[in-house]
Amino acid sequence: MLARYLFLAVIALGALVAAVKLAPGDLERLAMLERDGRHEQAMGELQQLYSEGQRGPELMRRLFNLEIRFGLVDEARQVLEEYARLRPSDSEAQMGLIRFYQTNQLEEPYVATLRAQYERTRSRELLSELLGFYRISGRFRDEEDILERTALANRAGPAEFERLGLLAAARGDLQVAARALRRADGRVDEPSRAARLGLFRVLVELKELDEAHQRCLAWLRTWRDPELAVELMETFSQAGRADLALDIGARFGGPGNDVTLASAEILNDQGRHGEVLQKLREYQSGGLPEDRDRAQRFISISASSGGAEMALRAARLVGMRKLEGSVILDLLDSLQDALEVNSTGFPIDLLKGFSAEIDARVQNSIPVALEAGDRLVLADDMRLFATQLAILDRDRDLARKHLAAIDPDRLNTFDLSRWTELQVASGLRSTAFPNVPTNWRRRDRTDMVSRRVRRVERTPQPTEVQAIRPRQTGGTAQPSAGIWPPINASPDAQNAQSAQQDTNSARAQRNRRRAAALERQRERSRQASLRRSQQIQGGNVAPKSAPPPLPPLQPQPFLAPAIGSGG
Amino acid sequence: VRLRHLTVFHGRLSPRACSQRARHSLFLPLVSIAFCLWQMVPALATDRLVKREILALFDSREDPQQFTHIHKLAEMPLNHLGYSVVYWDIERGLPDVRSIERYKGVLTWFGRDLAKPELYLPWAAEVVDRGLKLVILGQIGVPLEPRYLENINAILGDIGLKHTGQFVEVPFSAQVIVKDAAVMEFERKLDPVIHGFPLLTADRPDLVSHLTLASSRGARAQSSVLVATSPRGGFVADDFAFVYEAALDRVSWIINPFKFFQLAFGQERTPIPDVTTLDGNRIYFSHIDGDGWNNVSQIEHFAKAGTMSSEVVLKELVEPFADLPVTVGLIAGDVDPELGGDPSGRPIARRFFALPHVEVGSHTYTHPYTWQYFERYQREDENKLIEGQQRVERRMYDRAIGNIMRMAGKEKPQQIHQRYIAGSSELPRSYLRRPYELDMEVEGSLRAAEQLAPTGKRALLYQWSGDTTPYEAVIRATREAGVRNINGGDSRYDMDYPSVAYVPPIGRSVGAERQIYAVNSNENTYTNDWTGPYYGFRKLDETIRKTDGPRRLKAYNLYYHMYSGEKPAALDAVRQHLNTARNGEFIPISASHYAAIADSFYDVEIRQLAENQWRVAKRGDLQTLRFDDAADLTLDLSASVGVMGERRHGPALYLALDPDVDEPVVTLRPGSVPDPLPDVEKSGGSIQLIASRWRISDLVRGDCGFKANAEGFGPGRMAWKGMAPGRYTLTAKRSGKALWEQEVVVDQARRMDVSVPSDAIVPLMLELACAPGN
């Protein structure tokens, strides 16, 4: 019996212990409250437990969530900050804190926590977020600092090294820039073109030209980018190491390759005309350039280095209409030189029909035609040469037209004699101008360079074409020179230049065009009214007076006007 | 007193005023008449229409109009400066050059070259020849090829720039030659890493460079003018207007758009029609979209009773705030059982609309999510989409739940995913049972809302749903239905959206119609698309603060949804803003009233009569003019007509116009303190309204006090100035019967602050008179 009672007592005690053990704890009870939708009560009890010093993770999480649910932001912040502080290595807790600060737009705690977490984890996502924040806030020094730390920790990728290098370069710290950009360059996943160019320029600036050259060669071997090669060559050339530039040209040039053209330009700048022509021949062995910009460069280089024939062929291939006025002037200059010497054996046949093309180019550009962005306006000496070309083509009308466009009062003595003789040749005059002393008419031989210098030095005429010759189009880089005065130029010099620019400004040119158009319109009106008055007076339009019969055209040898022929 | 409205004629004295003066003149009447004529004639000669429109060219191959930089970034600052933007898609061809003289200038912000630059160039040259200002941001739109260069420079030359056609690379760092702190680095500093820039030079002496950079130091440096303005326009090179930070997907301005556009389009002082302020106070309005009307609230004590969110909003946010008007936009489908709605939401709508401070609105009938879809609507296509959605619907899940419930002997729960009710924007609209009909969507929904309102109470506002990009015909339908429209824009200006670039313009032109944007964003964007945290909407206060200073860009718009009644934190957030509005210096108006003011902005016609005098016409509901940088000027009340008063906010001067005067004349004079009129007895002639929580109209100044009509919500807190110090009696009357009367004191600063406790939803008259013995 006793045993039975004892057994029952043990059973009862066991049940009691089990009941006590199985009874829900605080958190379970609070979870039940939440499940029942009694959130406020649950939160109150959790807050009580928290204030009693309980810091269990589950309690704190629940409390935080409930406080957020009721929008108790300050209380929730306190709980979360403590939770994260107690668990510095708990990534989830730290991220929760970061997102809390971000959501609540608490900028400084957000950045500080984000940075601290990044320092702990070196996570690329966090780095990206941190860098983005620094950039948009304009905190570039902080950005550089975190990039440096990332680089020191060997966690930086090419993009980070690149940005670090460029930031350091911008700050003028070329040593740091070079270090960072070298590391960017050494990566398998290649850095951007900007980074490599940045490194290249840093090296050039640091006078590490041989390293720059070696790196260039390596890049170009993998990239095979003629545009980049040209850019590097130009930089070497500007740094006074044309030899390195030409070396690149020699390695990566070829027929029809821009690198070859750039080599020719560098050689041309050095006055090595023979080698220029050799390069140009190499270039054109793959065919003459049909692309406008390349053709223009080709023509300019060949024209200025004595390759008039080559230039003319290229010009006629691409078409006069597409060429800039300055290029055509270069070409005409070169042709004039070549034909004066004549010993070069210039094939005259190539000039057949050329005068008409020149004239068409001039004519097409007179109205404000959209295709003719720049106008070809022939100065008097070029007019005289164009007249000679017309006479060669037996185009008497064109020759006369050119001559008519020349105001003899403007001509110097030599050109005046040419003009007179061409008038004779074109049938406008029976004899040459008699009063010019023979020794005045003698023209000194001038070399090509001084001729070019003369043309450049010539006082710019109001409607003269502007020399615009970018080598590349669109957004590609191209150094330029001479258009803007140096930064340290005196104000007077700048003013003088701006005054000169003003007379040649687009507005001034447009005004002049308008004035000319207005004048033409007036002239047309005047003639129309004259015709009307004639009709009224005579009942018929008076017949135009017929031009006087022209003498048969005398083909002239294509030389400078025969000196002394009018004597 | 009415005659005082006529005393100014074209900037000088009117014939009547002249004759009155002539009677008191010491001179002979003939001399006085001559004097009057002398006064009038030059004024007539200076009468000039102030051009307020900017022609914006955009290329629809890049972006549709609403996503262009001009709309997203430039239009708001231009609106703030008083300009309305007229868009022209250059793909349609170019506008007739003869018709462009009405514009103040032309604005372009191309991202790439145009398809037909050869057509654009002569047109642009003609534009600048006609004297219009040309403002170019970003790319010019024409390839920088030699053949175009002269024409490009013909255009740029007018601004004062010359493009060399070249692009300069920056080896290390660009050297700053000029950086104008007033224009540059507004929100974001210049990045020290600049790879290069186009090479432009100054070509006119009156060109002002705000940013000139040199490519490097030393003799080889090439400098370029990258941000500049001149009397003929302005230019900002690509990449120097703003920065897009890809890691954060955020933009920020480099230039100060307000200052830049002000300089580029002209700095002459003109009154700016202002949509942020009314009677001296910042405008407050509120509207609720009906989304979540029938959702059961999760707030503890409401959840137990199964209370709908809409009812929670009614009880917690609308009924207790009778001093703050609110427009409730019902989704008609929500209470239409034929479409799948719940008719038990109807009584709640009736209770809302019965409240005098609640305006009836419509948030559409079927709640379109993607408005453009319905411009070329085909029911067959929609049916296919519905079918497609049904296939991925949780049928298996529903079946399983149904089976379990059946086995347990319980009813199957109501199927949430009904075939013709979209749970999200994956389908083009929420209620799909009937084919979409434009009339039903607009007129039908308005009538449905009105049926639930007291007799005679009309629906006055149409609140766009979904992506809030309505097409032209549907906006026209709202106009023809006689209601205003609102929504869209999603204005934010806080740490998360840290740029004024996220503050939208007043509205969006859509063909011949106009959509009015909501002034502030709603709780959806603040709560991560309603995924929490739900108190996020509290951060609206940051935008409210930042759009009030240093320049007031926007009114205060409390815009939320019925689903804010679901969550306690969301409810608290809205309540917090209601308390701010209740206690702050705001003038509460209805949302449709704001929309009317915003619509009127575009039509205001301003004529300059004299150097500091303008006449304002066609202003509709817009009753505030603003002058920026007017610290040295004050209202010349004696030479103004229909101007009730002035108030300063920062450097800006706000003038309150009398709605009862058709064409007010505004005159300013140097000085910062208004003087009383010397020729008016006592002080009545110089009485000015400073600010009022009620709308004031028909102000008649008397010898000792004034009379004015007033209308508004809640207590009539107001401030007046210009009366002689002493005791006065202020009376509120309606239909001749005094509702309230109190003795008020004008202090030595000649200012009176008073709060009238009467209800002024029905207009009343205020009368201020000298107290006996004063």
Side-chain angles (χ1 to χ4, degrees):
Chain A
M1 190 68 174
L2 182 65
R4 194 172 162 191
Y5 282 118
L6 196 62
F7 174 73
L8 286 174
V10 169
I11 292 288
L13 193 67
L16 194 65
V17 169
V20 169
K21 283 281 179 193
L22 291 173
D26 284 340
L27 290 178
E28 284 169 280
R29 193 170 48 77
L30 294 173
M32 287 160 68
L33 281 178
E34 282 187 61
R35 274 200 298 276
D36 291 347
R38 294 157 70 182
H39 300 286
E40 276 186 82
Q41 189 185 343
M43 186 174 70
E45 293 194 22
L46 281 167
Q47 281 172 334
Q48 180 64 33
L49 293 171
Y50 183 75
S51 64
E52 286 167 6
Q54 290 200 29
R55 295 292 185 269
E58 184 62 23
L59 181 144
M60 291 176 87
R61 272 203 297 270
R62 282 210 181 146
L63 179 56
F64 172 77
N65 285 335
L66 281 169
E67 284 173 341
I68 287 292
R69 179 186 172 87
F70 287 100
L72 304 173
V73 180
D74 292 339
E75 291 86 341
R77 178 181 176 176
Q78 190 187 339
V79 172
L80 186 60
E81 280 176 346
E82 190 172 1
Y83 184 87
R85 186 164 43 79
L86 293 170
R87 294 162 187 81
S89 56
D90 181 345
S91 188
E92 200 181 331
Q94 302 304 323
M95 285 309 297
L97 190 59
I98 290 168
R99 294 297 161 234
F100 176 84
Y101 288 140
Q102 186 183 25
T103 303
N104 291 282
Q105 307 192 5
L106 302 164
E107 187 170 310
E108 282 312 314
Y110 160 70
V111 184
T113 319
L114 180 62
R115 183 159 181 161
Q117 180 63 3
Y118 169 68
E119 298 283 1
R120 270 192 290 271
T121 62
R122 303 285 176 204
S123 145
R124 293 202 65 77
E125 288 75 24
L126 293 183
L127 177 64
S128 169
E129 188 175 342
L130 194 57
L131 293 176
F133 177 82
Y134 284 143
R135 275 181 209 155
I136 206 152
S137 315
R139 291 163 62 172
F140 299 111
R141 201 65 194 86
D142 285 329
E143 183 193 0
E144 197 180 336
D145 182 51
I146 201 76
L147 285 169
E148 269 178 23
R149 296 176 66 79
T150 306
L152 283 173
N154 283 326
R155 301 288 295 183
E160 285 82 42
F161 279 122
E162 176 180 331
R163 177 76 181 167
L164 174 62
L166 294 175
L167 280 170
R171 217 164 25 80
D173 191 342
L174 298 186
Q175 296 293 351
V176 171
R179 262 202 309 276
L181 292 170
R182 275 185 189 121
R183 292 186 72 176
D185 191 34
R187 295 295 176 117
V188 179
D189 38 354
E190 293 178 351
S192 72
R193 182 189 161 94
R196 283 192 161 163
L197 281 175
L199 173 59
F200 174 71
R201 286 186 173 126
V202 167
L203 292 173
V204 169
E205 197 73 11
L206 292 171
K207 310 287 182 207
E208 307 269 5
L209 292 172
D210 292 323
E211 183 191 341
H213 182 234
Q214 289 308 313
R215 285 186 186 270
C216 286
L217 296 180
W219 299 338
L220 292 171
R221 265 183 224 115
T222 52
W223 277 355
R224 291 279 163 195
D225 180 348
E227 200 180 325
L228 176 68
V230 169
E231 213 166 320
L232 301 174
M233 288 168 71
E234 282 175 355
T235 310
F236 275 130
S237 178
Q238 284 164 7
R241 291 295 299 270
D243 58 323
L244 298 179
L246 291 170
D247 179 58
I248 293 175
R251 288 169 191 263
F252 299 101
N257 192 326
D258 282 348
V259 175
T260 310
L261 205 54
S263 295
E265 275 174 326
I266 293 168
L267 288 167
N268 192 38
D269 289 343
Q270 296 188 324
R272 293 153 70 178
H273 295 303
E275 290 170 78
V276 173
L277 292 176
Q278 198 181 340
K279 280 284 172 197
L280 290 176
R281 275 187 212 105
E282 181 190 342
Y283 182 81
Q284 68 158 6
S285 64
L288 281 167
E290 293 181 28
D291 161 59
R292 179 175 178 268
D293 294 318
R294 286 187 180 82
Q296 295 203 127
R297 288 172 61 198
F298 182 88
I299 293 163
S300 283
I301 302 166
S302 48
S304 61
S305 56
E309 181 188 339
M310 214 184 282
L312 182 63
R313 284 182 195 282
R316 300 201 72 176
L317 180 71
V318 76
M320 288 295 153
R321 284 180 60 118
K322 290 185 185 172
L323 293 182
E324 284 173 36
S326 60
V327 175
I328 296 174
L329 291 177
D330 278 349
L331 175 63
L332 290 175
D333 241 357
S334 163
L335 285 172
Q336 205 167 352
D337 290 337
L339 293 169
E340 277 175 10
V341 179
N342 203 29
S343 59
T344 54
F346 189 90
I348 300 291
D349 287 352
L350 268 182
L351 288 167
K352 203 168 184 182
F354 186 54
S355 64
E357 282 183 36
I358 293 287
D359 185 53
R361 176 66 174 82
V362 173
Q363 294 301 321
N364 279 334
S365 59
I366 285 171
V368 189
L370 284 165
E371 270 200 81
D374 81 326
R375 292 160 297 140
L376 174 63
V377 179
L378 298 180
D380 288 341
D381 59 338
M382 282 299 151
R383 280 266 178 209
L384 291 172
F385 182 59
T387 310
Q388 284 177 289
L389 290 172
I391 289 169
L392 184 73
D393 271 341
R394 297 166 188 257
D395 190 342
R396 189 175 53 199
D397 290 342
L398 180 55
R400 292 173 68 185
K401 195 172 88 177
H402 280 310
L403 288 172
I406 297 172
D407 178 2
D409 292 343
R410 284 200 312 243
L411 298 179
N412 59 28
T413 313
F414 170 69
D415 284 338
L416 189 62
S417 85
R418 284 175 73 198
W419 177 75
T420 310
E421 285 158 9
L422 287 168
Q423 277 204 320
V424 172
S426 59
L428 283 173
R429 182 189 282 264
S430 55
T431 55
F433 190 71
N435 299 331
V436 180
T438 308
N439 58 346
W440 286 15
R441 294 182 225 155
R442 188 175 306 280
R443 184 181 176 191
D444 292 333
R445 301 289 305 171
T446 50
D447 64 5
M448 289 174 289
V449 175
S450 60
R451 179 185 285 275
R452 200 161 319 290
V453 169
R454 195 183 66 228
R455 194 164 69 73
V456 170
E457 285 175 346
R458 193 175 51 211
T459 308
Q461 296 194 15
T463 53
E464 196 167 330
V465 67
Q466 292 183 19
I468 305 160
R469 51 175 84 182
R471 288 168 186 163
Q472 292 141 353
T473 57
T476 51
Q478 183 203 355
S480 67
I483 291 167
W484 187 259
I487 300 305
N488 51 5
S490 70
D492 288 344
Q494 291 196 16
N495 289 342
Q497 181 163 349
S498 74
Q500 188 176 336
Q501 281 174 348
D502 191 43
T503 57
N504 284 323
S505 69
R507 188 189 179 91
Q509 290 180 17
R510 202 170 59 246
N511 288 341
R512 283 194 289 273
R513 275 205 311 278
R514 271 190 214 133
L518 200 64
E519 192 51 48
R520 283 197 298 278
Q521 196 178 348
R522 280 192 195 129
E523 177 64 19
R524 278 198 298 274
S525 314
R526 200 167 55 76
Q527 288 184 357
S529 67
L530 186 67
R531 278 199 298 277
R532 275 198 300 277
S533 66
Q534 284 170 343
Q535 279 175 340
I536 293 164
Q537 284 169 9
N540 281 316
V541 178
K544 283 183 183 175
S545 55
L550 292 169
L553 191 65
Q554 298 294 321
Q556 298 286 319
F558 202 88
L559 291 171
I563 294 170
S565 62
Chain B
V1 177
R2 271 288 190 173
L3 288 180
R4 291 186 51 74
H5 295 164
L6 303 172
T7 54
V8 174
F9 179 72
H10 283 295
R12 303 234 170 167
L13 295 177
S14 70
R16 189 187 295 270
C18 252
S19 64
Q20 281 173 353
R21 289 206 170 181
R23 279 203 297 275
H24 296 95
S25 172
L26 294 174
F27 300 104
L28 293 171
L30 207 59
V31 176
S32 296
I33 289 165
F35 172 77
C36 287
L37 287 172
W38 176 80
Q39 284 269 304
M40 288 161 55
V41 170
L44 285 168
T46 57
D47 190 330
R48 174 180 76 83
L49 183 70
V50 174
K51 292 180 180 179
R52 292 187 53 234
E53 287 179 307
I54 304 291
L55 178 66
L57 300 183
F58 72 101
D59 185 351
S60 58
R61 292 177 313 143
E62 289 181 39
D63 284 309
Q65 179 194 315
Q66 68 264 31
F67 298 122
T68 56
H69 286 338
I70 294 180
H71 183 66
K72 301 285 277 184
L73 299 170
E75 190 172 351
M76 187 281 289
L78 287 168
N79 286 168
H80 181 73
L81 295 171
Y83 297 114
S84 70
V85 179
V86 178
Y87 288 86
W88 187 279
D89 180 5
I90 209 159
E91 273 294 282
R92 277 168 48 199
L94 287 153
D96 185 348
V97 81
R98 288 165 301 184
S99 69
I100 60 167
E101 291 195 348
R102 68 189 173 106
Y103 298 109
K104 177 82 173 181
V106 175
L107 171 65
T108 68
W109 197 338
F110 299 124
R112 62 177 182 178
D113 294 334
L114 300 172
K116 292 172 184 168
E118 64 278 5
L119 297 180
Y120 169 67
L121 284 168
W123 182 89
E126 181 73 26
V127 164
V128 293
D129 282 352
R130 285 175 180 251
L132 267 76
K133 293 173 192 297
L134 179 65
V135 177
I136 299 170
L137 285 92
Q139 300 207 4
I140 298 166
V142 180
L144 285 175
E145 292 171 10
R147 61 184 171 139
Y148 293 125
L149 201 60
E150 188 179 345
N151 296 75
I152 289 170
N153 280 326
I155 300 165
L156 287 178
D158 238 71
I159 298 171
L161 285 167
K162 185 176 178 185
H163 205 306
T164 62
Q166 296 167 0
F167 189 88
V168 183
E169 272 205 282
V170 180
F172 308 120
S173 67
Q175 189 192 359
V176 176
I177 307 297
V178 175
K179 186 166 70 183
D180 177 0
V183 173
M184 299 306 299
E185 299 192 332
F186 176 58
E187 292 176 337
R188 153 84 189 242
K189 286 183 187 170
L190 278 175
D191 197 311
V193 178
I194 295 171
H195 295 297
F197 43 75
L199 192 62
L200 292 104
T201 57
D203 204 28
R204 270 173 66 138
D206 53 3
L207 182 97
V208 179
S209 169
H210 306 292
L211 180 69
T212 301
L213 297 181
S215 58
S216 60
R217 292 173 177 80
R220 271 166 44 204
Q222 291 176 298
S223 64
S224 179
V225 180
L226 298 165
V227 179
T229 53
S230 80
R232 301 301 310 279
F235 175 80
V236 182
D238 209 9
D239 295 337
F240 289 91
F242 75 98
V243 169
Y244 171 69
E245 188 52 59
L248 304 178
D249 188 25
R250 292 289 182 269
V251 298
S252 53
W253 282 101
I254 298 174
I255 61 165
N256 178 337
F258 303 101
K259 194 70 188 170
F260 173 79
F261 286 128
Q262 187 186 35
L263 293 170
F265 283 115
Q267 286 203 86
E268 63 266 35
R269 179 177 282 126
T270 53
I272 296 168
D274 188 277
V275 303
T276 69
T277 304
L278 184 60
D279 289 345
N281 273 339
R282 191 178 188 186
I283 289 172
Y284 163 86
F285 70 96
S286 175
H287 65 295
I288 313 172
D289 287 352
D291 309 53
W293 191 282
N294 298 323
N295 293 4
V296 175
S297 175
Q298 295 169 24
I299 300 168
E300 226 168 287
H301 55 287
F302 291 115
K304 281 177 193 160
T307 311
M308 288 180 180
S309 299
S310 50
E311 193 173 352
V312 174
V313 169
L314 173 70
K315 285 180 175 171
E316 297 288 317
L317 304 178
V318 175
E319 283 177 344
F321 292 91
D323 52 338
L324 296 171
V326 61
T327 305
V328 174
L330 177 73
I331 303 170
D334 272 347
V335 293
D336 183 349
E338 279 188 38
L339 295 187
D342 185 352
S344 58
R346 287 169 159 260
I348 302 169
R350 285 202 177 88
R351 285 167 61 191
F352 267 117
F353 295 150
L355 296 171
H357 65 292
V358 171
E359 182 178 67
V360 181
S362 165
H363 190 43
T364 75
Y365 208 107
T366 63
H367 198 274
Y369 289 112
T370 316
W371 283 95
Q372 299 300 320
Y373 179 84
F374 297 100
E375 191 166 15
R376 291 174 196 83
Y377 174 74
Q378 296 287 332
R379 177 63 174 176
E380 297 75 34
D381 292 343
E382 192 177 49
N383 279 334
K384 284 178 196 163
L385 290 174
I386 296 167
E387 287 302 317
Q389 279 300 108
Q390 294 305 312
R391 276 196 286 277
V392 297
E393 196 186 301
R394 289 178 283 174
R395 275 187 176 170
M396 281 182 64
Y397 170 81
D398 286 341
R399 273 205 304 273
I401 292 290
N403 290 336
I404 291 165
M405 289 295 185
R406 196 167 51 247
M407 283 188 289
K410 294 189 174 176
E411 280 183 22
K412 187 182 169 187
Q414 190 182 5
Q415 199 172 1
I416 297 165
H417 297 276
Q418 294 180 27
R419 183 181 174 82
Y420 290 109
I421 300 177
S424 69
S425 58
E426 284 162 0
L427 285 171
R429 56 193 173 128
S430 286
Y431 294 101
L432 300 130
R433 186 176 295 279
R434 289 194 211 126
Y436 173 86
E437 287 175 38
L438 180 58
D439 284 348
M440 181 74 169
E441 206 59 54
V442 177
E443 192 74 34
S445 72
L446 291 165
R447 298 295 87 83
E450 283 171 357
Q451 280 172 11
L452 300 170
T455 311
K457 192 169 182 178
R458 297 284 316 277
L460 296 174
L461 190 69
Y462 196 81
Q463 297 159 228
W464 302 114
S465 60
D467 64 0
T468 62
T469 53
Y471 53 96
E472 186 177 2
V474 72
I475 304 178
R476 190 186 312 120
T478 62
R479 182 171 52 77
E480 288 170 355
V483 298
R484 303 286 177 175
N485 74 83
I486 202 165
N487 279 352
D490 277 330
S491 172
R492 291 283 299 266
Y493 190 13
D494 47 38
M495 193 193 104
D496 204 8
Y497 292 86
S499 170
V500 78
Y502 295 102
V503 180
I506 295 170
R508 175 176 76 107
S509 61
V510 186
E513 303 297 332
R514 189 174 300 114
Q515 171 191 3
I516 299 298
Y517 283 147
V519 166
N520 291 127
S521 191
N522 57 57
E523 81 279 46
N524 196 48
T525 69
Y526 287 92
T527 56
N528 301 313
D529 294 333
W530 200 242
T531 58
Y534 297 103
Y535 62 82
F537 194 37
R538 284 182 191 173
K539 276 292 155 194
L540 170 66
D541 60 2
E542 182 80 357
T543 301
I544 299 299
R545 185 178 60 78
K546 291 179 89 165
T547 52
D548 195 36
R551 50 186 75 77
R552 184 175 286 165
L553 300 174
K554 290 285 172 185
Y556 183 169
N557 174 203
L558 182 55
Y559 168 29
Y560 56 103
H561 296 85
M562 285 298 172
Y563 52 66
S564 272
E566 274 181 57
K567 310 277 183 185
L571 199 69
D572 276 349
V574 179
R575 194 184 286 119
Q576 171 195 302
H577 295 306
L578 287 165
N579 283 319
T580 304
R582 170 177 276 175
N583 300 316
E585 281 192 79
F586 300 102
I587 177 167
I589 60 172
S590 65
S592 71
H593 187 183
Y594 168 76
I597 291 171
D599 247 341
S600 303
F601 167 85
Y602 298 91
D603 302 324
V604 177
E605 198 176 281
I606 298 170
R607 286 189 172 274
Q608 181 154 23
L609 308 177
E611 189 189 347
N612 277 327
Q613 189 170 53
W614 300 266
R615 189 173 60 237
V616 184
K618 298 181 183 174
R619 73 185 196 282
D621 290 85
L622 190 142
Q623 305 299 354
T624 300
L625 296 178
R626 192 186 81 242
F627 291 89
D628 286 336
D629 306 321
D632 57 334
L633 290 173
T634 190
L635 174 65
D636 185 348
L637 202 57
S638 63
S640 298
V641 177
V643 184
M644 297 194 294
E646 67 172 10
R647 189 180 190 189
R648 290 182 191 277
H649 178 72
L653 179 71
Y654 290 82
L655 302 183
L657 305 180
D658 189 336
D660 275 23
V661 177
D662 277 346
E663 296 195 357
V665 175
V666 173
T667 311
L668 300 183
R669 62 174 176 74
S672 55
V673 180
D675 292 334
L677 275 183
D679 58 344
V680 176
E681 271 185 43
K682 294 209 174 174
S683 57
S686 63
I687 291 175
Q688 284 196 45
L689 173 68
I690 300 172
S692 170
R693 199 171 183 278
W694 286 349
R695 283 169 285 143
I696 305 294
S697 60
D698 199 13
L699 173 66
V700 180
R701 297 177 179 93
D703 289 344
C704 186
F706 65 82
K707 286 181 183 174
N709 289 336
E711 186 177 1
F713 300 88
R717 286 195 297 268
M718 55 187 75
W720 296 79
K721 66 180 175 183
M723 294 81 72
R727 286 177 296 119
Y728 292 76
T729 304
L730 183 62
T731 312
K733 294 178 180 175
R734 187 177 293 131
S735 309
K737 185 182 161 192
L739 302 173
W740 173 88
E741 187 176 292
Q742 192 174 17
E743 191 174 280
V744 291
V745 176
V746 174
D747 62 18
Q748 289 303 312
R750 304 165 70 108
R751 180 183 168 115
M752 174 185 82
D753 288 274
V754 66
S755 181
V756 184
S758 301
D759 170 21
I761 292 178
V762 177
L764 48 74
M765 178 190 260
L766 291 175
E767 192 173 326
L768 183 78
C770 288
N774 187 23

